[in-house]
Amino acid sequence: MDNIQEQQFEVQFEAIKTMVKANAPTKEEGERRAKMLDEAKYNTKAYINLLDMFGIPNPGNL
């Protein structure tokens, strides 16, 4: 990944994390989900599975 792609990924990742936190039923659940995303950040399969679980389209498919 080049620098521009890395920057785009970081922006998308932070936006998704914010959306996940905002859509959670409670603040604590939002924090838990955000932590799960952080832990899966560089594990593509786990990251995509979490996006699916949270009902968020994969940014690569937009």
Side-chain angles (χ1 to χ4, degrees), residues 6-16:
E6 181 69 24
Q7 288 174 352
Q8 288 173 335
F9 174 79
E10 289 296 330
V11 169
Q12 287 177 341
F13 180 81
E14 290 303 320
I16 289 168

Side-chain angles (χ1 to χ4, degrees), residues 4-62:
I4 292 172
Q5 288 175 318
E6 181 69 24
Q7 288 174 352
Q8 288 173 335
F9 174 79
E10 289 296 330
V11 169
Q12 287 177 341
F13 180 81
E14 290 303 320
I16 289 168
K17 197 163 80 167
T18 299
M19 187 173 19
V20 164
K21 287 169 75 172
N23 289 331
T26 65
K27 182 177 180 180
E28 292 77 18
E29 180 63 14
E31 293 298 327
R32 187 183 74 80
R33 291 178 181 187
K35 184 177 179 189
M36 290 169 64
L37 282 174
D38 279 334
E39 292 170 355
K41 187 173 185 177
Y42 295 109
N43 180 334
T44 304
K45 185 174 182 175
Y47 181 64
I48 290 171
N49 286 339
L50 285 175
L51 293 179
D52 186 48
M53 185 172 87
F54 299 145
I56 298 172
N58 180 352
N61 294 336
L62 297 177

